[in-house]
Amino acid sequence: MWAFLAPQIIKPPSSPTRHLFSTSPSSPKSPLCSLSSNPPTLSNKNQLIQSLCKQGNLKQALQVLSQEPNPTQRTYEILILSCIDRYSLSDGLRVHRHLSDDGSDQDPFLATKLINMYSELDSIDDARKVFDKIRQRTIYVWNAIFRALTLAGEGLEVLGLYRQMNWTEIQSDRFTYTFVLKACVASEASPEFLMKVKEIHAHILRNGFESQVHIMTTLVDVYARFWCADYAAYVFDKMPVRNVVSWSAMIACYANNGMPFEALELFREMMLENNDCFPNSVTMVSVLQACAALAALEQGKVLHGFILRRSLDSILPVISALVTMYGRCGKLELGQRVFDQTKEKDVVLWNSLISSYGIHGFGHKAIQIFKEMIDNGVSPSHVSFGSVLGACSHAGLVEEGKMLFESMVKEHGMYPTAHHYACMVDLLGRANRLEEATKIVEEMRTEPGPLVWGALLGSCRIHCNVELAERASRRLFELEPTNAGNYVLLADIYAQADMWREVKRVKNFLKARGLQKVPGRSWIEIERKLHSFMSVDEFNPHYEQLHALVIKLSTEMKEKGYVPQTDVVLYRLDNEEKERIVLGHSEKLAVAFGLINSNHGEPIRVTKNLRLCEDCHTFVKLISKFAEREILIRDVNRYHHFQNGACSCGDYW
């Protein structure tokens, strides 16, 4: 979203654009030679410098510059742009020295160009020097340094300079607000920066810029990056004019903030708008992400058709999103087909395919694709290793995962991040090699973060290791004091160990802090319409019918050996009440809804926001056998493909 929101710097009509420069080689006969017999006039030398730059002969242009006592503003401007075009910092410094020698560095227009040049050449310190030296700071000079510092990730410095500018008589323009808003997310997001965003928002309203679609779109995007979807929606709803970028920003906000329903609904609203605002590739990527999150296969297929009709199928981010969508909707073969039909493949597309096979538990296939990617000359990224290590974890490929992890440094010169260490802890922990997993945590070069400790705590839950769980949870409570999931996970481990006093202590702690467990929620798509179910959702109009069906199925399966696993309930209740709670889990309700509302022979696809519990796993395995239905459930970790009483995970998840 960042890239297509970036505005262009305002420049006078005389400013040339970058495409003026020709990259064709200079003619065999140099212009210097042709003019040597007739020394050029002052005007001709400036023209010659400009001509040489346009021909790509920057070195020759600089030679002529050393002979020119009065270069024009236009000449300097083209020289600066030529340095950017050639990505030559040394030549840029040489031009800057000429400017300083004749005092032209005090020209605000040229100072702006110099700051932009140093920004493009990744020399932010030189850009600062230009800004510090210029005495007449116009709004263009301020905007140039704001942009340069924001791109360099120096958000705090931008906000400091912005306060300084507000003490002068210089008034912010639409570009100023865009740059300072982006500065708030240029550094790591924090509550302090969110307050700055709100202050700038108020300043925008006070100065009457709320009708500027570009500013308000940036504001939507920035609020989204602070996980403030409600603020973003408020800004979006108040916008008097919206363009495709505005719609895309808001759809992306919902898609990236765990609100896929809202993303799809807004997309439908966008399509119904009676204007020329057609979705572009950025819009489609976000909408496909929403479909992937909900496993909304039929809607995803409709979007695929739209993409083909709009000729967006040649854009790699769109193709990658399609592959991911099909993979997360349980249609690996369709994702593979899209991948195979793409001629030019980048690392993002390869990563999408690796990840798709990984979440389905096809670890060996994911490793094979990873190796094919390298054989095709595509260097793996950090995401590639995260995807393939995750695939190894889901499939229990411990030795293969260890070899891949070691190859990061030895073969690819890449140092593992916290995510990669978390993958390794998860891989070893799932395989009940907790001692090795703990050793990895202890030997990390940096302080293990929530990802790593969380992976260790999750492994302790699988194998009911109370001592190690308490150690991991202590660190997690320090790092993430408001994450209720960590407390619930520890309580779950205590419950498995029949330590009910400790369970009560953790639950009281949750209550005292005002934290609540994330309720279980499942989705199912029937005839392109999405239906949502909450665990023990008695307010759902379908609840009584669905719960009755689940009880009926449970009774029938008990005769065939099914025993409800009520130990997953973290309350000291009688078995009958525990069974009622277990049978009300959202995934059971969604599967029951699918049995009632879909044709026999059609696969049932359900998405769950939490880990699939042991009882639901056993229940659905039996349903797939006795109802003779193919059932796919994607939980927060992986895909479970149930068929004929068995699951693709092999009970390893």
Side-chain angles (χ1 to χ4, degrees):
M1 186 62 68
W2 187 273
F4 68 75
L5 287 176
Q8 299 297 313
I9 298 295
I10 292 180
K11 52 190 175 185
S14 62
S15 301
T17 53
R18 290 280 301 278
H19 67 269
L20 288 174
F21 298 115
S22 169
T23 56
S24 59
S26 58
S27 57
K29 188 174 182 180
S30 169
L32 281 173
C33 299
S34 63
L35 293 170
S36 59
S37 58
N38 184 19
T41 64
L42 180 68
S43 174
N44 285 341
K45 277 193 176 180
N46 277 282
Q47 291 175 5
L48 177 56
I49 294 169
Q50 296 174 27
S51 177
L52 288 167
C53 287
K54 292 174 184 177
Q55 294 173 21
N57 297 324
L58 178 58
K59 298 296 183 185
Q60 290 182 334
L62 290 171
Q63 290 176 14
V64 179
L65 178 65
S66 63
Q67 305 165 16
E68 172 55 62
N70 296 304
T72 64
Q73 185 190 70
R74 173 73 168 171
T75 297
Y76 275 132
E77 182 188 12
I78 291 182
L79 280 164
I80 291 169
L81 291 173
S82 188
C83 292
I84 297 172
D85 199 49
R86 289 288 182 179
Y87 200 78
S88 175
L89 178 59
S90 60
D91 290 329
L93 290 167
R94 187 173 170 184
V95 172
H96 189 180
R97 281 195 295 272
H98 277 280
L99 279 157
S100 299
D101 289 343
D102 65 14
S104 296
D105 59 336
Q106 289 302 310
D107 180 343
F109 175 75
L110 291 177
T112 300
K113 295 297 177 184
L114 279 173
I115 293 170
N116 291 338
M117 177 190 76
Y118 284 128
S119 174
E120 294 291 332
L121 300 179
D122 299 318
S123 184
I124 192 64
D125 288 338
D126 287 309
R128 283 192 187 97
K129 290 174 184 175
V130 174
F131 178 79
D132 291 340
K133 191 175 179 182
I134 183 74
R135 292 186 292 274
Q136 185 185 349
R137 294 173 179 170
T138 64
I139 188 59
Y140 305 109
V141 174
W142 283 101
N143 286 345
I145 196 64
F146 291 155
R147 175 182 179 273
L149 291 168
T150 298
L151 291 175
E154 301 291 344
L156 200 58
E157 188 172 354
V158 172
L159 296 176
L161 286 173
Y162 179 60
R163 284 194 299 271
Q164 184 180 328
M165 189 191 85
N166 286 333
W167 284 101
T168 70
E169 295 180 355
I170 301 295
Q171 296 295 315
S172 301
D173 65 9
R174 63 192 184 103
F175 295 113
T176 314
Y177 289 122
T178 301
F179 294 138
V180 294
L181 281 171
K182 289 180 179 179
C184 295
V185 289
S187 306
E188 187 174 346
S190 69
E192 178 189 359
F193 280 108
L194 178 58
M195 287 304 300
K196 296 298 180 186
V197 174
K198 292 179 180 179
E199 289 175 16
I200 297 165
H201 187 179
H203 202 204
I204 289 167
L205 298 177
R206 283 198 303 271
N207 287 280
F209 281 89
E210 65 270 22
S211 62
Q212 292 281 345
V213 64
H214 193 86
I215 295 175
M216 304 314 284
T217 300
T218 305
L219 195 54
V220 167
D221 184 56
V222 171
Y223 274 133
R225 290 171 183 268
F226 280 96
W227 308 96
C228 294
D230 50 348
Y231 286 120
Y234 176 82
V235 174
F236 181 80
D237 291 340
K238 294 290 184 181
M239 290 176 68
V241 179
R242 300 166 184 161
N243 58 21
V244 65
V245 183
S246 312
W247 286 97
S248 299
M250 195 62 229
I251 292 169
C253 172
Y254 284 140
N256 296 328
N257 280 271
M259 303 171 72
F261 270 108
E262 291 80 357
L264 292 177
E265 186 60 35
L266 189 62
F267 177 70
R268 278 192 287 271
E269 186 181 332
M270 176 184 182
M271 296 297 287
L272 291 171
E273 284 275 318
N274 187 21
N275 55 31
D276 296 327
C277 191
F278 292 107
N280 60 18
S281 61
V282 178
T283 321
M284 299 315 299
V285 167
S286 297
V287 181
L288 287 170
Q289 286 174 351
C291 287
L294 296 168
L297 177 62
E298 295 307 314
Q299 293 197 42
K301 287 180 176 179
V302 171
L303 291 172
H304 192 175
F306 178 83
I307 286 165
L308 293 173
R309 289 193 300 274
R310 298 290 297 177
S311 299
L312 298 173
D313 55 318
S314 61
I315 300 172
L316 279 174
V318 175
I319 298 169
S320 299
L322 273 172
V323 171
T324 298
M325 182 273 293
Y326 280 125
R328 292 187 175 274
C329 289
K331 278 291 186 180
L332 277 172
E333 67 278 11
L334 294 181
Q336 182 72 61
R337 187 186 304 171
V338 171
F339 178 87
D340 292 339
Q341 290 173 351
T342 306
K343 293 180 180 179
E344 298 294 329
K345 302 176 177 72
D346 64 357
V347 67
V348 178
L349 181 55
W350 283 98
N351 291 345
S352 296
L353 193 64
I354 294 167
S355 176
S356 294
Y357 279 100
I359 64 169
H360 282 268
F362 298 122
H364 288 293
K365 180 67 174 178
I367 294 172
Q368 177 191 331
I369 296 167
F370 178 82
K371 291 178 178 177
E372 285 178 13
M373 176 182 73
I374 296 172
D375 291 341
N376 278 272
V378 178
S379 298
S381 65
H382 280 91
V383 175
S384 309
F385 278 102
S387 298
V388 74
L389 288 173
C392 291
S393 183
H394 293 313
L397 304 177
V398 177
E399 297 306 319
E400 292 88 340
K402 289 171 71 175
M403 290 174 62
L404 285 163
F405 184 74
E406 290 170 3
S407 74
M408 287 187 70
V409 176
K410 291 180 179 178
E411 298 177 23
H412 301 281
M414 298 168 61
Y415 286 99
T417 65
H419 176 65
H420 301 115
Y421 281 107
C423 287
M424 285 304 298
V425 170
D426 185 63
L427 171 66
L428 294 165
R430 285 177 188 273
N432 202 14
R433 293 164 69 162
L434 289 170
E435 190 174 325
E436 287 182 63
T438 306
K439 187 177 179 182
I440 282 186
V441 176
E442 291 171 346
E443 292 180 352
M444 283 181 64
R445 297 188 306 166
T446 58
E447 173 66 22
L451 281 175
V452 178
W453 287 113
L456 189 60
L457 183 61
S459 299
C460 293
R461 182 207 173 280
I462 296 170
H463 303 290
C464 197
N465 188 313
V466 175
E467 183 181 350
L468 191 55
E470 289 177 332
R471 178 185 170 190
S473 61
R474 277 195 296 270
R475 289 296 297 125
L476 283 168
F477 297 161
E478 293 173 9
L479 294 166
E480 298 180 318
T482 60
N483 186 344
N486 296 325
Y487 299 92
V488 173
L489 202 53
L490 179 62
D492 195 9
I493 295 167
Y494 282 142
Q496 287 181 45
D498 288 327
M499 299 171 65
W500 293 103
R501 182 180 297 176
E502 297 304 317
V503 172
K504 185 177 180 180
R505 183 176 63 83
V506 173
K507 290 170 70 174
N508 287 339
F509 193 80
L510 272 171
K511 186 177 180 181
R513 290 210 165 190
L515 302 176
Q516 290 185 334
K517 176 186 175 182
V518 176
R521 188 179 182 188
S522 296
W523 299 269
I524 185 170
E525 182 188 37
I526 301 291
E527 295 181 353
R528 297 183 188 173
K529 185 177 180 182
L530 289 162
H531 302 267
S532 174
F533 300 92
M534 302 279 282
S535 292
V536 197
D537 187 3
E538 297 178 357
F539 294 102
N540 190 301
H542 305 288
Y543 178 75
E544 288 189 11
Q545 179 191 18
L546 297 178
H547 196 55
L549 175 58
V550 170
I551 291 173
K552 180 177 181 293
L553 292 169
S554 172
T555 303
E556 292 177 359
M557 290 191 300
K558 280 179 181 178
E559 297 174 0
K560 301 180 185 298
Y562 166 63
V563 178
Q565 299 178 47
T566 56
D567 56 340
V568 300
V569 180
L570 303 183
Y571 298 93
R572 289 190 115 174
L573 304 168
D574 58 58
N575 279 336
E576 185 177 339
E577 184 63 18
K578 282 188 174 183
E579 187 173 324
R580 187 190 74 82
I581 293 173
V582 167
L583 293 179
H585 280 187
S586 64
E587 54 267 57
K588 289 189 180 79
L589 299 177
V591 169
F593 188 83
L595 289 170
I596 294 171
N597 293 283
S598 63
N599 298 321
H600 185 75
E602 286 183 8
I604 295 173
R605 292 183 175 82
V606 174
T607 304
K608 174 84 184 283
N609 67 331
L610 302 173
R611 181 182 183 271
L612 193 65
C613 82
E614 287 80 359
D615 183 69
C616 287
H617 195 265
T618 302
F619 185 89
V620 179
K621 276 201 299 185
L622 293 170
I623 289 292
S624 71
K625 181 178 181 179
F626 298 127
E628 297 181 346
R629 295 295 291 270
E630 179 185 359
I631 304 172
L632 293 88
I633 299 183
R634 195 189 79 217
D635 69 6
V636 71
N637 293 321
R638 59 164 297 153
Y639 244 106
H640 297 267
H641 190 155
F642 300 94
Q643 199 164 22
N644 197 30
C647 179
S648 59
C649 75
D651 299 338
Y652 185 89
W653 87 101

